[in-house]
Amino acid sequence: AQKVTQAQTEISVVEKEDVTLDCVYETRDTTYYLFWYKQPPSGELVFLIRRNSFDEQNEISGRYSWNFQKSTSSFNFTITASQVVDSAVYFCALSAANFGNEKLTFGTGTRLTIIP
Amino acid sequence: DTGVSQDPRHKITKRGQNVTFRCDPISEHNRLYWYRQTLGQGPEFLTYFQNEAQLEKSRLLSDRFSAERPKGSFSTLEIQRTEQGDSAMYLCASSGLANEQFFGPGTRLTVL
């Protein structure tokens, strides 16, 4: 069975601070995908990133960066120089990488509040 | 805009009534997913289609729930004899081969 744990329920930081959202996962699959989604107050889930389990390179996209460590089953997300528009609930998710078994298993989310 | 669309956006119904939701995926996506999200929780998988074939259905899904994707394009999710516990946001997502699932705005169901 797959499981995603986001231990941080809520985080508040002052604007321009850096913030890291933690994600730990469990799976028996040898190949899998990891995801991050953003859910702003409007409610629609916004896709941020997908990583393959065989690719442990960290990724940077603008102010966003992701640190994937297979040894600790973690896929953490860092926002640099946070902005008020980053305020949202962030979900980490996991899926198998084989055909027909690609449903997403989500964590419970981390509510991030950026204080102006 | 050619993203995933869902209709209606909000539905209020009385307990015991049937409701049906529609999802239109991104046009080139052959995979379509339904999820349910309750307050303070992450989305929970309900069912999944590859073209018109329903490949998986969650064991948590009651027999009152049924989904179709008759021509491999849009999908419908029907809930029969609704209960108050069915109140939730129902989310649809679609993906192509890369399994990057893009979500629609959701249908918020309230059962009175």
Side-chain angles (χ1 to χ4, degrees):
Chain A
Q2 298 182 333
K3 184 178 179 182
V4 175
T5 301
Q6 295 180 255
Q8 304 153 308
T9 305
E10 295 190 26
I11 299 176
S12 294
V13 299
V14 176
E15 193 174 19
K16 297 184 183 176
E17 288 185 352
D18 299 347
V19 58
T20 295
L21 309 183
D22 297 335
C23 173
V24 174
Y25 63 91
E26 297 175 30
T27 182
R28 294 180 182 174
D29 295 309
T30 51
T31 56
Y32 48 91
Y33 295 126
L34 293 161
F35 303 79
W36 276 95
Y37 284 86
K38 174 182 181 180
Q39 190 170 44
S42 61
E44 189 159 343
L45 278 163
V46 177
F47 170 84
L48 296 178
I49 189 172
R50 184 201 72 164
R51 298 296 287 171
N52 296 325
S53 55
F54 52 82
D55 182 1
E56 287 193 68
Q57 277 193 333
N58 291 333
E59 182 156 343
I60 298 174
S61 176
R63 296 184 297 107
Y64 295 170
S65 62
W66 291 270
N67 183 343
F68 175 31
Q69 293 198 344
K70 213 167 181 178
S71 60
T72 56
S73 297
S74 66
F75 185 45
N76 296 338
F77 173 30
T78 297
I79 301 175
T80 303
S82 60
Q83 300 176 2
V84 172
V85 293
D86 296 328
S87 295
V89 180
Y90 290 85
F91 290 97
C92 180
L94 167 69
S95 79
N98 52 300
F99 172 72
N101 195 23
E102 294 143 330
K103 62 180 181 285
L104 296 176
T105 298
F106 284 85
T108 50
T110 298
R111 180 176 299 278
L112 176 63
T113 301
I114 309 300
I115 303 165
Chain B
D1 189 329
T2 56
V4 178
S5 62
Q6 292 186 246
D7 184 70
R9 296 291 304 275
H10 303 272
K11 179 71 177 179
I12 300 174
T13 191
K14 293 182 179 179
R15 190 177 55 181
Q17 298 295 304
N18 298 344
V19 294
T20 300
F21 309 141
R22 176 179 170 126
C23 171
D24 287 89
I26 293 171
S27 58
E28 61 267 28
H29 286 176
N30 56 3
R31 297 169 187 182
L32 186 147
Y33 310 79
W34 286 98
Y35 294 84
R36 176 172 62 189
Q37 186 178 21
T38 53
L39 201 61
Q41 300 297 315
E44 176 187 44
F45 171 77
L46 295 179
T47 190
Y48 158 47
F49 290 86
Q50 168 85 6
N51 299 312
E52 66 274 9
Q54 188 173 18
L55 297 188
E56 187 175 355
K57 189 175 174 181
S58 169
R59 284 176 229 153
L60 302 175
L61 208 57
S62 153
D63 289 343
R64 298 182 296 104
F65 287 71
S66 62
E68 292 183 341
R69 194 182 182 197
K71 296 183 180 179
S73 57
F74 73 91
S75 174
T76 58
L77 177 68
E78 181 182 16
I79 309 174
Q80 296 182 327
R81 304 181 304 282
T82 52
E83 302 172 355
Q84 287 185 327
D86 297 332
S87 294
M89 176 75 86
Y90 289 84
L91 297 166
C92 177
S94 70
S95 73
L97 294 176
N99 197 28
E100 293 177 355
Q101 294 184 28
F102 294 90
F103 283 79
T107 294
R108 182 169 296 284
L109 173 66
T110 302
V111 182
L112 302 176

